Every structure is written in structure tokens, then in C-alpha cells.
Amino acid sequence: MEATPPSEREQEAPDARPVILFVDDEANILSSLRRLFRSSNYNVLTANSAREALGLFEQGPIDLVVSDMRMPEQSGAELLTQVKGQWPNTVRIILTGHADLSDTIRAINSGEIYRYLLKPWNDEEFTGVVRDALAVKSLRDEKERLEKLVRQQNAELQSLNSNLEEKVRERTAEVQRTMGLLSTAHESLKKSFLTSIKVFTALIEQRGGTIAGHSRRVADLAKKMAQEMGLSDNDAQEVMVAGLLHDIGKLGLPDKLIQTPYVLLNSTDRAEFEKHTVNGQAALMALEQLTKASLMIRHHHERYDGKGYPDGLALDRIPIGARILAVANDFDSLQNGTLEEHPLNRSDAVKVIISQSGKRYDPNAVEAFKLLVGGEAEPVSTEAAVRSAELKPGMILARDLHTANGMLLLAKDHALDERLIGQIFQFERSARQPLPLFIYR
């Protein structure tokens, strides 16, 4: 039987393995590379010139290309610059046996090279660089998929304009589908469940306005209050998750109800607005791991004196997490103008919370709140803003790391190593803008 020529890729059966291409004008080098990656789970292609390599690019997608620097007719730097322009998603690596610093720098700048390797190479280092490069590409492709998903979800949110009850049912189903998608992303990227929750919180806040950042501020304060009140680490974590998702029931509400201060709503609009706590619990009901958080979300607008909603619970009948969320949520809402007619400064917001101790709020929760906010003083900052060039292994993120459009990259308290710092460099280079980085002092 006649073997299929390697160049005729369009005739080969579909292959899900990553495709890597080695380009070198020396046949012995290509043979060595084939042997090195013979047992790997890659589809390995080779070309002995830039012209032959470009022909392979025309035949199908290539995930990673490794090119020799010096070749006749067209150099590796020129080849990779052309690849960058026509196939920007392909990861590019330069291989050189010459200590020519200027050529290497020019190749890195013009072709946005991921790494460069020297001949003779170390086999373990070479395979590790290829493996890491493909992992970075996979992570970048997944982020692009999720960003596209967020844009689609946001467009759909803005298009809903009639039949509020039907809208809530549709939004609940949409939320559950989105949570399923994020859970899948969590498995493929090996991220924690909490990171997935934070990604979804960013989706909730895509509607912008005063709601932007609200959930994260509430979650942070609520967790600290829970710890101050002696709750276990697991219970404090549950409170924080509930804080991140406490406004999920507002996804089905029209912008008018979200952006109008609560005290200015008429009785009809107020009744519609108050359904968001029950809708929030319903949206998360199918997720067993969020059962406790969904109960806190249902009751975070109950009052300690029994005059709240939706169930008119009072005193200890209100879940402790919901009593904590009530304080944290109202403290932020007083300042962003969604509760009273006019936004309050921080000092006045503190006074309002303290004045309602024993009436609207649990006195124990208010005492924990007072200890944390320090009366009227601003909290002491324990973080510092840094540039990516200042990052060092061992540093710990003091804030969640997001892209400019709100997509979560790394969660707060994530310890950085050389691999992650390299990925941050690569992402900034691809996005052509710096990321907002904050680390603990």
C-alpha cells in the first residue's frame, strides 16, 4: 500500500491532537526533533524551508511552530513575523545555534515570540517549553470562548423588554445554563469552584451602573464580619459566596427598577423589585453546593424586628448569614445610592447602620461591623499596585485579577510563580494593555 505523503494533510483523517511544526534546513535536526516528540501526544509536522512551512499553514491550522533562526532564502525571524500576521493564534518559538543577540531581539519584537531556545538544546527543557506553550494557548482560547459567551449573554439581557414573569423564568434557565458552562470551564482549567463563582459575579455586574463592583464589596465585608463573629471558616466562606451572588435575582428586572433608589419606587414597582430575593433562591435551587447560600439570598432583606421581606422573619429565625449580609449590603447600597434618594458618604453610612441596631439589624452583626470599619475611619490598606515587570515568585494577589472587560483571570490570594508571571506577561502582550495588579505588602 502506498503511504500518504505528509504534505497532503487535507486527505488525512481528522486528528484532535495539537499540531506542532518544526522548521529547519538541516535534515539531521528535523530527525532529532521527530525522535524527541515521537512518543508525545502531538501531531508532528516538519519543513526544511520557510516556503514549505507556509505551504503547511495553508493546508490547516497549526497550534505551535518552532523555527530555526538562520535558513537560506528566508530567516526564521522573517517566517515567524509572517506567521504572526496571517495566523496570530499560532504560538511561535525561535531556535538558534548562534549567539546573535540583536537578531534574537529583533525576532522576539517583530514576531512576538513566546520563547527562544539555543542549539544544542536540553531535551527536557525543550519538551517542557512546548508543553507550557500549548497550555498557554489552550488557556487563551478558553478565555476567548468565555468572553464571547459573556458578550452574548449581555446582549440578550438588554433585549428583554416585556412580560416580566416570563422574563424571570427565562433568565433563571439562562443562569442555570451559564452556571453549567462555568462549571465545565472550571473542570477544564482546573480552577476552584470559588473562582467560577467570581467569574459569574462578573457576568452579573455586566449591566454596569451603580451595581458594578457592589457584589464583590458586599462579599468581602460579609466574610470579615462572619469571621469576627466567630463563624467557622466554612460558614464564613458560605457567607462570602452568598454575598457574591446575592443580587442574582435582579438579572430579570428592567433597568428602571435596578437604577432607581428603593425609597423612590412606587408600591407596584417596589412589590416587583422585592421578588428578587425569591427569584435569586430559585435560580440556584438546582445547585446542591449553593443550598445554604441560596437560603441567605432569600432572607438578606429580612429585618431583625420582623418588618422585612419576603417572609417577615425576625430575630434568630433569620439565618445568621442573612443577618450579616443585610448589614454589608445596606452599607454599600447607602453609599452607591441604590437604597436612599441620595448617596451617603462613608461616615454617614456608618452612622445609619449603627442607629438601626436592634431594629433593622442584628446587634451582634452591627458590633462586628463597628469593629471592622473602625467607626468612621477608612480601612488601612494592606495592598500595593504593581506593574507586571515588578512581579516576583511568591507574591500573593490582594485582589482578583480581571481583564479590562471584567473577565476573571486569577482569584484573590493566588500565589504567583514563574509560570503564572510568564502567562501574565504573555496576556498583556496579546491584549496590548497592562493588567491591574495588586499584591499584599
Side-chain angles (χ1 to χ4, degrees):
M1 180 180 294
E2 184 177 359
T4 302
S7 62
E8 298 179 5
R9 294 176 60 200
E10 68 278 4
Q11 298 179 10
E12 297 176 357
D15 192 341
R17 296 176 300 167
V19 179
I20 60 177
L21 170 62
F22 297 112
V23 187
D24 200 299
D25 60 319
E26 296 184 42
N28 62 323
I29 294 294
L30 295 179
S31 296
S32 296
L33 291 172
R34 287 193 203 97
R35 287 195 299 272
L36 179 60
F37 288 90
R38 180 176 298 159
S39 61
S40 64
N41 192 30
Y42 305 139
N43 184 0
V44 177
L45 306 175
T46 60
N48 59 20
S49 68
R51 181 184 302 172
E52 184 178 348
L54 293 173
L56 290 173
F57 271 97
E58 295 289 350
Q59 294 178 29
I62 294 175
D63 296 291
L64 180 144
V65 57
V66 181
S67 176
D68 185 28
M69 173 72 84
R70 295 190 179 277
M71 295 185 296
E73 297 183 7
Q74 189 176 7
S75 71
E78 293 169 336
L79 169 63
L80 295 186
T81 299
Q82 189 170 348
V83 170
K84 170 198 165 187
Q86 295 184 250
W87 300 278
N89 288 333
T90 298
V91 182
R92 300 168 291 280
I93 296 175
I94 199 76
L95 181 64
T96 178
H98 303 271
D100 193 331
L101 183 59
S102 61
D103 281 353
T104 301
I105 292 175
R106 185 160 50 253
I108 291 173
N109 290 336
S110 62
E112 291 188 5
I113 307 303
Y114 172 76
R115 285 284 299 273
Y116 74 89
L117 295 168
L118 292 174
K119 298 179 184 176
W121 62 79
N122 176 280
D123 286 354
E124 184 176 349
E125 179 188 8
F126 200 124
T127 56
V129 168
V130 169
R131 181 175 59 252
D132 290 346
L134 291 172
V136 169
K137 183 180 186 298
S138 176
L139 186 63
R140 183 178 62 204
D141 291 345
E142 182 66 6
K143 284 186 173 65
E144 290 175 356
R145 187 187 71 80
L146 288 174
E147 287 173 354
K148 180 179 179 181
L149 172 65
V150 169
R151 289 193 295 271
Q152 292 173 341
Q153 299 290 342
N154 192 43
E156 291 173 11
L157 281 171
Q158 295 174 355
S159 69
L160 296 173
N161 56 13
S162 63
N163 195 343
L164 184 59
E165 290 298 329
E166 181 63 24
K167 183 189 302 181
V168 170
R169 286 193 292 271
E170 293 174 357
R171 186 57 58 217
T172 298
E174 181 180 337
V175 166
Q176 291 170 343
R177 288 195 300 271
T178 304
M179 287 299 297
L181 289 170
L182 290 174
S183 179
T184 300
H186 152 70
E187 291 297 330
S188 64
L189 298 176
K190 296 182 179 180
K191 291 185 177 179
S192 67
F193 180 69
L194 178 59
T195 300
S196 298
I197 291 293
K198 289 185 176 182
V199 171
F200 185 61
T201 300
L203 172 61
I204 295 175
E205 296 182 351
Q206 287 293 313
R207 297 188 67 173
T210 55
I211 195 175
H214 169 72
S215 295
R216 278 173 278 174
R217 293 190 296 270
V218 170
D220 185 59
L221 177 57
K223 181 179 181 181
K224 292 175 182 176
M225 289 176 60
Q227 292 170 331
E228 185 66 36
M229 293 173 69
L231 273 66
S232 69
D233 289 343
N234 286 339
D235 288 343
Q237 192 81 342
E238 293 277 4
V239 172
M240 185 188 72
V241 170
L244 287 170
L245 297 173
H246 76 281
D247 275 341
I248 189 175
K250 293 181 180 178
L251 280 174
L253 298 178
D255 291 342
K256 174 187 173 183
L257 294 187
I258 294 176
Q259 296 173 3
T260 302
Y262 179 77
V263 296
L264 298 183
L265 295 175
N266 59 40
S267 58
T268 300
D269 287 344
R270 187 171 292 187
E272 201 63 60
F273 176 84
E274 290 177 357
K275 292 178 183 178
H276 79 272
T277 58
V278 177
N279 293 335
Q281 182 190 30
L284 303 175
M285 189 176 298
L287 300 172
E288 182 178 353
Q289 60 268 53
L290 294 179
T291 300
K292 291 183 180 179
S294 67
L295 191 63
M296 296 179 210
I297 290 170
R298 178 185 180 93
H299 295 299
H300 77 279
H301 279 294
E302 305 284 4
R303 288 174 51 120
Y304 197 65
D305 58 12
K307 298 178 182 179
Y309 63 87
D311 301 317
L313 302 183
L315 304 176
D316 292 345
R317 292 183 62 199
I318 307 170
I320 180 63
R323 283 177 266 155
I324 292 171
L325 282 180
V327 174
N329 177 55
D330 285 2
F331 178 59
D332 195 74
S333 298
L334 286 166
Q335 296 175 81
N336 66 28
T338 57
L339 190 58
E340 299 292 343
E341 183 174 358
H342 300 292
L344 302 182
N345 61 39
R346 186 174 185 278
S347 176
D348 288 340
V350 170
K351 292 176 182 177
V352 170
I353 298 295
I354 294 175
S355 71
Q356 291 294 312
S357 178
K359 302 172 187 176
R360 182 180 292 272
Y361 311 117
D362 178 353
N364 292 327
V366 173
E367 286 302 311
F369 167 79
K370 287 165 61 178
L371 289 172
L372 288 169
V373 301
E376 301 177 10
E378 291 289 343
V380 177
S381 175
T382 59
E383 61 185 38
V386 297
R387 299 187 303 275
S388 58
E390 299 174 290
L391 293 177
K392 297 179 181 178
M395 288 183 171
I396 299 175
L397 291 177
R399 299 186 189 180
D400 291 342
L401 178 59
H402 293 85
T403 63
N405 61 5
M407 178 58 60
L408 180 70
L409 297 178
L410 291 172
K412 175 184 175 182
D413 296 325
H414 205 114
L416 299 177
D417 55 24
E418 289 184 359
R419 180 181 61 84
L420 287 174
I421 292 172
Q423 290 178 357
I424 290 172
F425 288 158
Q426 180 68 19
F427 190 89
E428 287 187 334
R429 201 154 42 236
S430 299
R432 299 184 182 279
Q433 62 180 351
L435 292 169
L437 295 158
F438 294 84
I439 55 105
Y440 288 111
R441 294 183 184 276

